[in-house]
Amino acid sequence: TIMRTLVTNNRYTGIGQIAGTLTLQNSEVRFTNACYCTSPNAGKGLSLGGTATLSGNYIYNNDKNIVSGGQIILTNNIITNGPKEFSNGPIAFTGNIFDTGQDLTIDPSVSSFTASGNTILWSYKGYDRSGGIWSNATWAPVDLPYIISSNLLIGSGTLTLQPGVII
């Protein structure tokens, strides 16, 4: 558990989690950038695996604010100025403010994605679900529309859209 902490001016990754459980509350993660690095993890404010719960944080000015490969729960955070990438899951967003001109990407194969009460302050105003689906996936209705900004490839399996889904 990390509370009331400033994580700043990191060259590679502000906070990296491979597995286990991380709780980050009422903290700031800022100014993490690639700085001419060749590492695939360079510039990630938060690189998350395992289970991560983030609440009441200010996460901003990172080359990639959040990159998640595990379960993530975001509640009442302000996340600005940098792309966000979420894969695997489950993923739950509640009451967050996303203020950026870059993508908020949810891997299209993630079936367990819930969202309510979030605000997105840029032109897309939705969750980007572009990419590939390689097994069965179900998309449920959430608080904002799904956006397909490039291609959505269903390589195998079936994509099921529950009633009320807006694309």
Side-chain angles (χ1 to χ4, degrees), residues 103-109 124-133 139 144-154 159 161 165-167:
D103 293 343
L104 174 55
T105 304
I106 310 295
D107 188 297
S109 62
Y124 283 125
K125 298 203 185 297
Y127 304 108
D128 189 350
R129 299 297 301 259
S130 301
I133 295 176
W139 294 2
L144 299 164
Y146 294 120
I147 306 294
I148 309 298
S149 66
S150 61
N151 295 319
L152 177 62
L153 170 67
I154 301 173
L159 173 59
L161 302 178
V165 167
I166 299 171
I167 297 179

